[in-house]
Amino acid sequence: MKTSMRRSSRGARRSAAAVAVSAVLALTATACGDDGSGAAGDKGADGSGKGKVVFWDNNGGVRTDIWKEIIADFEKANPDIEVEYVGIAATEYQSKVDTALQGGGLPDVGGVGAAMLAGFAAQNALEPLDDRLGKSSLNGKLNEDMVKSLKAAGGRDDTLYSIPTSANNGVLYYRTDLFKQAVLDEPTTWDDFYEAADKLTDKGKNEFGYTIRGGAGSIAQALDAMYGQSGITSFWDTGNEKTTVNDPKNVAALEKYVGLFKKVTPAADLNNDFTKMVAQWDSGTIGMLNHNLGSYQDHVKALGVDKFRGIPQPVGPGGKRVQVSNPVDGLGLFKSSKNKDAAWKFIDFATSKAENSKFNQAAGQVPSNNDAAKDEWVSEAEPTKLAAEALSDGSTTIVQLPYYLPDWNTISKTDNEPAFQKVMNGSMSAKDFLDTLADQLNEAQTEWNEQKG
């Protein structure tokens, strides 16, 4: 019965996707306007290289101020181009783009990270950027691993559809002042982590050892905790056909991790996305928080530099650290743009040394521009420095998530975030949750392998 219901759900999802794509193709003929508006499949035009460029920020609010600084720099250097900034919250960005893909109104440039790239590329919405990059002064100056990551995420013949701006990495932030008071060691192992979470909790005083992400974005954090504890180093089996998410070691790891909810975490965590979770940690007395490098500056503003540290994720079996990949973020040029040359000038400028450094210093992330990555602030921002070292010193194995699957974002968000909340509140077992997730992933992988073959 469960299998039948899962197949029915996936079939409905694919049917809906097919209808959406058909609608896109039909709308292509009527998409119009010289302001960059259009739908997926619209070929657009290079334009004059001047005029107006519409830019959609995929993390509006959080990154609005720094993008406005970069836009001001760009418009000063390019007085014949105007950039219209549209900030869209990270939790709303995909639905906003999906609507425009079907009905028109796409921007010229938009934030296009690895997690969303395959879905956009599959609908022919993005301009290939290999040729433009090859003729740019940026050629050879972008982090090779980030470029490779975005090419792989696009899933279409090693084509580059997004220019990387930054890389994030999972970080365990902990309150050094609270750890010192409780005479606790730094949580460098998962055993240390669980011990600290328990010891720092005093519900009567509204003090908690940890804050767990139960709202939007919960699946990636849960996967990180699972693989980190289990020590499994590949997302797929040796045949690249079956996922390891429901391996018994991962099931046990998720059971232990979810068992923290309400025992050593606030009850509000059930619905907290990253903005609420970060704000809660910054303003309260919570011992630990799993997030990424992007929230470092928020913690500095709230706590100063003396009350917390951001360190790589705890090590697991055999002293080995295993983490799931965090998506590389980037800027994509929508194919429907009527002003592609001007739009490219903006992308090229935004990822230049000075601007890329400025952006990532504000975001607390690893720059994509190799020259920007050498700037002094990188070594001074401890979590960024430690994350970079952990990824290069051989201590960390990265489990690559299948961003290339067109269904990845739907499976990992729409289909399973509500189900993960059921696991947290005890109405679904960790095993049933992971079995369902595995079933969906395996079918998506099978379809992908068949298309490639």
Side-chain angles (χ1 to χ4, degrees):
M1 178 64 70
K2 285 183 181 178
T3 300
S4 175
M5 290 174 66
R6 291 173 196 160
R7 288 176 178 165
S8 176
S9 173
R10 287 194 305 277
R13 184 174 66 242
R14 290 196 302 275
S15 296
V19 170
V21 173
S22 297
V24 166
L25 296 175
L27 284 162
T28 298
T30 59
C32 61
D34 296 325
D35 58 355
S37 63
D42 189 338
K43 294 182 180 179
D46 287 337
S48 64
K50 303 177 182 180
K52 182 178 177 182
V53 171
V54 178
F55 166 51
W56 284 7
D57 175 11
N58 61 339
N59 202 358
V62 178
R63 303 286 176 248
T64 295
D65 290 345
I66 187 58
W67 273 121
K68 287 188 174 181
E69 282 188 40
I70 292 171
I71 289 169
D73 291 345
F74 175 77
E75 290 178 339
K76 183 177 181 180
N78 299 270
D80 53 359
I81 302 176
E82 172 196 354
V83 178
E84 178 184 326
Y85 172 86
V86 180
I88 302 170
T91 53
E92 300 172 5
Y93 187 76
Q94 172 145 4
S95 62
K96 177 82 171 178
V97 175
D98 284 343
T99 298
L101 284 172
Q102 298 179 46
L106 286 166
D108 299 284
V109 178
V112 182
M116 298 182 185
L117 209 162
F120 297 164
Q123 296 187 66
N124 200 29
L126 297 170
E127 183 82 358
L129 298 176
D130 299 272
D131 288 345
R132 291 182 186 270
L133 178 60
K135 298 173 184 176
S136 166
S137 60
L138 285 175
N139 191 32
K141 293 189 175 181
L142 296 176
N143 182 286
E144 187 176 346
D145 287 337
M146 295 188 200
V147 172
K148 287 180 179 178
S149 178
L150 288 180
K151 282 187 175 184
R156 301 179 71 185
D157 301 323
D158 202 38
T159 301
L160 184 65
Y161 291 103
S162 181
I163 299 298
T165 55
S166 56
N168 239 332
N169 203 38
V171 176
L172 178 60
Y173 292 105
Y174 75 96
R175 289 282 299 270
T176 52
D177 55 342
L178 301 181
F179 270 68
K180 184 177 180 179
Q181 291 172 18
V183 195
L184 285 166
D185 293 331
E186 186 172 78
T188 56
T189 70
W190 283 101
D191 286 342
D192 292 339
F193 166 81
Y194 282 106
E195 179 188 355
D198 185 62
K199 193 168 183 179
L200 292 171
T201 299
D202 187 335
K203 294 181 181 179
K205 296 181 179 179
N206 204 35
E207 297 173 354
F208 298 94
Y210 184 60
T211 174
I212 190 171
R213 188 168 180 169
S218 59
I219 303 302
Q221 182 172 303
L223 291 174
D224 212 12
M226 282 166 43
Y227 282 91
Q229 294 175 81
S230 71
I232 296 171
T233 57
S234 175
F235 196 79
W236 301 103
D237 63 11
T238 54
N240 208 35
E241 297 177 348
K242 302 294 184 183
T243 181
T244 59
V245 293
N246 61 336
D247 183 284
K249 291 181 180 178
N250 275 334
V251 173
L254 185 61
E255 288 173 344
K256 187 171 184 179
Y257 181 70
V258 171
L260 296 172
F261 178 57
K262 289 200 297 185
K263 178 182 177 183
V264 298
T265 79
D269 283 355
L270 183 66
N271 297 302
N272 279 354
D273 59 14
F274 85 92
T275 53
K276 294 176 183 176
M277 185 176 65
V278 167
Q280 178 177 262
W281 192 72
D282 286 345
S283 62
T285 52
I286 300 174
M288 295 177 291
L289 161 75
N290 271 120
H291 194 230
N292 54 48
L293 295 169
S295 60
Y296 173 67
Q297 293 296 340
D298 295 322
H299 308 323
V300 171
K301 291 176 184 177
L303 302 169
V305 295
D306 298 326
K307 290 185 177 180
F308 80 98
R309 286 193 76 197
I311 61 175
Q313 295 284 57
V315 298
K320 188 70 176 180
R321 180 181 298 107
V322 177
Q323 291 187 232
V324 300
S325 54
N326 279 276
V328 175
D329 207 1
L331 295 173
L333 173 56
F334 283 95
K335 187 172 285 189
S336 61
S337 170
K338 305 300 188 296
N339 204 2
K340 293 178 186 177
D341 285 350
W344 170 255
K345 287 180 183 179
F346 175 64
I347 294 175
D348 187 79
F349 182 88
T351 46
S352 64
K353 176 187 183 298
E355 304 303 319
N356 190 242
S357 181
K358 180 183 293 187
F359 174 82
N360 283 286
Q361 184 173 13
Q365 299 175 172
V366 180
S368 61
N369 188 297
N370 291 326
D371 292 333
K374 298 174 185 176
D375 283 353
E376 188 176 353
W377 70 264
V378 176
S379 61
E380 293 176 347
E382 186 186 39
T384 304
K385 177 185 177 183
L386 293 177
E389 289 175 352
L391 293 176
S392 61
D393 65 7
S395 66
T396 303
T397 299
I398 299 296
V399 176
Q400 295 293 341
L401 297 180
Y403 298 122
Y404 58 84
L405 292 176
D407 275 349
W408 167 253
N409 226 33
T410 301
I411 291 172
S412 64
K413 292 182 180 293
T414 308
D415 287 358
N416 285 292
E417 285 179 352
F420 182 68
Q421 290 180 317
K422 293 181 179 179
V423 180
M424 289 178 65
N425 66 27
S427 60
M428 175 183 282
S429 72
K431 185 178 187 305
D432 283 348
F433 169 74
L434 291 177
D435 283 345
T436 300
L437 177 60
D439 192 41
Q440 294 168 342
L441 289 166
N442 290 339
E443 182 155 340
Q445 179 76 346
T446 297
E447 292 173 356
W448 174 253
N449 287 335
E450 289 172 353
Q451 289 173 3
K452 286 181 65 179

